[in-house]
Amino acid sequence: YFQNQPSILRALSERELASIQARQLVFEERAKREDIRQVIRAALAFYPGLEKENPNVYRLVWVMPADNRDDPEEARLRQQSNVQHLARLIQQGIERGVFEYRDPFLAAAVVFGMVNTPLILFHNGQITSLDLRDRLVEEMLDVALHYLKREANFTKGKLN
């Protein structure tokens, strides 16, 4: 039994976060034995997949203002947890020489933002076409992987 709407939203959000964290563990296990580029693409594609499967949950977790369900610190920690997961995957790619050397947490925040921006804009009414949203997400996945990829003439984040 819940006392009020914010407590219901908090419980739903916590349940979904636990599900997301379970999926993240799967990606981290896969990263130990599979091509890190494919694993990071799948980990990034998880968010658009969640949005398509359950748009209301996606809206609750990523679009609704934090003050509707919990304190801002909890919302920040939730977001940071997702970025930290991606940072661990990116760090593996850097260590294997597949991804360019970058601050893994910053790179994770960049690619997380790239992939989720079209979804958030869709939920906020800034993008109204499902087709455009989906095309933007696919483009962002490609751009994110290109951003991470190690280039022969690229060292420590700067052109030589």
Side-chain angles (χ1 to χ4, degrees):
Y1 178 75
F2 298 101
Q3 295 177 342
N4 52 35
Q5 185 180 16
S7 62
I8 293 170
L9 294 173
R10 186 172 27 262
L12 289 171
S13 184
E14 288 171 5
R15 185 184 75 188
E16 192 55 40
L17 181 59
S19 173
I20 289 170
Q21 289 173 334
R23 287 294 308 265
Q24 289 172 344
L25 290 175
V26 171
F27 289 124
E28 290 182 30
E29 284 301 311
R30 284 180 54 195
K32 293 176 184 176
R33 61 187 184 285
E34 295 179 28
D35 181 343
I36 192 66
R37 290 169 293 222
Q38 291 183 2
V39 174
I40 195 80
R41 183 178 177 91
L44 288 169
F46 167 77
Y47 299 100
L50 172 64
E51 192 278 336
K52 282 185 178 182
E53 287 175 24
N54 201 333
N56 291 330
V57 168
Y58 182 89
R59 187 178 307 111
L60 170 69
V61 175
W62 297 113
V63 181
M64 284 181 63
D67 59 344
N68 286 350
R69 64 177 183 272
D70 54 19
D71 71 54
E73 181 64 13
E74 284 182 31
R76 187 187 68 74
L77 290 172
R78 179 176 32 260
Q79 189 271 346
Q80 194 173 41
S81 157
N82 282 272
V83 172
Q84 195 61 43
H85 155 68
L86 294 171
R88 287 189 296 272
L89 297 176
I90 290 168
Q91 181 64 42
Q92 288 185 46
I94 292 169
E95 290 170 1
R96 294 179 196 173
V98 174
F99 295 156
E100 186 59 47
Y101 173 81
R102 293 184 160 77
D103 174 319
F105 188 83
L106 180 61
V110 168
V111 297
F112 180 82
M114 285 176 166
V115 172
N116 281 285
T117 294
L119 304 171
I120 292 169
L121 290 174
F122 177 78
H123 281 276
N124 285 333
Q126 301 298 312
I127 295 174
T128 57
S129 164
L130 289 171
D131 181 59
L132 177 59
R133 178 205 62 192
D134 293 345
R135 288 179 24 229
L136 284 168
V137 166
E138 282 303 311
E139 192 72 16
M140 290 300 187
L141 286 167
D142 291 343
V143 170
L145 288 173
H146 184 74
Y147 165 77
L148 294 171
K149 181 179 151 189
R150 184 173 182 166
E151 300 288 342
N153 63 344
F154 211 71
T155 308
K156 294 195 181 204
K158 296 191 170 90
L159 284 173
N160 288 337

